[in-house]
Amino acid sequence: MHGEAGIVALALDFGADGRLWVCEMRDYPAGLDGHGQAGGRVKVLRDRDGDGTFDTAEVVADALSYPTGLLAWHDGVLVCAAPDVWWFDGHGGRRRLLTGFATHNF
């Protein structure tokens, strides 16, 4: 799934409230600077007027390395961004839940 030029949306999930959470890798494959600078982000999209079309897209987290998976949970989202697993609430709150995962393939 492609959005803006050069951005790859890797994962998405709908929350129970209808919000759409999206993982984007703006840095794939070599980083924003060509040398691995993290450029992944998570956005939340909302349909504010109920017409079935998303009206707003807000960046919830930026400068993530390898954001490859997410899951809407309660009032926010769990995000796999190696080496970490994060919790973002969509209002600026964040918490690193786990860390230490590999960032390379063998």
Side-chain angles (χ1 to χ4, degrees), residues 4-48:
E4 302 170 39
I7 296 176
V8 177
L10 292 179
L12 55 91
D13 195 19
F14 287 92
D17 59 2
R19 291 184 295 177
L20 177 62
W21 299 87
V22 180
C23 270
E24 295 180 343
M25 286 186 71
R26 299 177 306 132
D27 54 353
Y28 184 81
L32 289 177
D33 61 356
H35 300 286
Q37 178 186 357
R41 63 184 175 191
V42 174
K43 284 184 177 178
V44 60
L45 287 67
R46 294 179 175 89
D47 174 10
R48 299 217 184 254

Side-chain angles (χ1 to χ4, degrees), residues 28-86:
Y28 184 81
L32 289 177
D33 61 356
H35 300 286
Q37 178 186 357
R41 63 184 175 191
V42 174
K43 284 184 177 178
V44 60
L45 287 67
R46 294 179 175 89
D47 174 10
R48 299 217 184 254
D49 61 9
D51 68 355
T53 301
F54 291 106
D55 308 307
T56 62
E58 176 186 353
V59 176
V60 175
D62 207 358
L64 296 173
S65 61
Y66 310 107
T68 56
L70 55 73
L71 175 68
W73 188 60
H74 289 279
D75 63 344
V77 66
L78 297 168
V79 177
C80 298
D84 305 312
V85 175
W86 292 91

